[in-house]
Amino acid sequence: MHFCQRCDDPIAMAPDGELAVCPDCGHTEPARRLPLFVVTGASGSGKTAVLAHLVRELPECLVFDGDWLIGPFERACEFGEVDWPALRDAWLSVAHGAAQSGRHTVLLAPFTREQLDGLAGRRWVTDVHVAVLDCADDVRAARLEARSRWRERAVERHLAFAVHLRATAGTVVRTDDGPPEESARRVAEWVRARIG
């Protein structure tokens, strides 16, 4: 993420508070770190439906759909298959970049904290806060079946992932008990409670 600009070799710098520090020469440069907010959910949970409303609810944050990098990663990866850890690490880099402008990143993506914790970019964000968008299994199955033919459905796999998220999540926001605007409002409240 940060490489020392004073060393002759590309030396990766390490975070130390609000600085990046070169372990070889001791050079420092500003490197603001902020929390990352991940709004996760199995497919069909309503991440895409909530996105535009969440952008309006959180103008002080940068709100992204994790799927936006899938196409470029498919083109960049060998055989056109997405390297998922690399994609997740790229989003950590985006969040760190946003932090340099003092902006928090809210990422709607089917990621878990465990999938992010072992990545190189993880050390460049402070806390990772995770909220889960969820709905009843029959609602999810109906949403998946209603998708355009070109979109992946894999209903049973997504239902199983939803079970896992329910068992491991601390914060759950329902998307089947009101309009997407209401779900976005609740997510925005969750984010603001953590950024002060």
Side-chain angles (χ1 to χ4, degrees):
M1 178 94 53
H2 289 271
F3 289 90
C4 184
Q5 301 301 304
R6 294 202 178 160
C7 289
D8 290 332
D9 295 317
I11 305 298
M13 300 176 85
D16 184 5
E18 296 286 305
L19 297 173
V21 180
C22 176
D24 279 14
C25 74
H27 171 67
T28 63
E29 59 185 51
R32 188 172 192 179
R33 297 186 308 143
L34 292 174
L36 168 64
F37 296 89
V38 177
V39 181
T40 191
S43 288
S45 63
K47 295 184 298 294
T48 300
V50 164
L51 177 68
H53 304 289
L54 194 54
V55 168
R56 284 192 293 277
E57 286 283 340
L58 290 171
E60 68 272 30
C61 297
L62 295 178
V63 181
F64 296 103
D65 182 333
D67 289 351
W68 291 345
L69 291 183
I70 291 176
F73 266 73
E74 284 176 337
R75 292 189 297 278
C77 294
E78 188 175 2
F79 309 117
E81 295 181 15
V82 174
D83 178 336
W84 288 100
L87 177 83
R88 293 181 194 107
D89 209 25
W91 278 117
L92 290 169
S93 294
V94 169
H96 180 57
Q100 303 322 293
S101 297
R103 305 282 296 276
H104 288 85
T105 295
V106 179
L107 179 62
L108 289 98
F111 301 165
T112 65
R113 185 186 328 275
E114 296 75 25
Q115 291 171 329
L116 298 174
D117 279 346
L119 300 174
R122 173 61 183 88
R123 64 189 185 150
W124 295 102
V125 299
T126 55
D127 299 321
V128 174
H129 299 286
V130 180
V132 177
L133 296 184
D134 197 18
C135 59
D137 288 346
D138 60 330
V139 172
R140 184 182 318 279
R143 288 174 179 175
L144 292 170
E145 291 298 340
R147 285 182 168 181
S148 302
R149 274 185 249 150
W150 65 268
R151 295 191 66 193
E152 181 264 345
R153 289 187 175 95
V155 174
E156 292 305 317
R157 182 164 54 88
H158 296 306
L159 291 175
F161 186 45
V163 169
H164 168 75
L165 291 174
R166 285 181 200 124
T168 59
T171 300
V172 176
V173 176
R174 303 291 303 185
T175 62
D176 55 359
D177 62 353
E181 300 95 297
E182 176 60 23
S183 299
R185 186 188 61 73
R186 286 180 278 176
V187 170
E189 289 173 355
W190 169 78
V191 169
R192 286 199 182 102
R194 285 152 182 80
I195 62 177

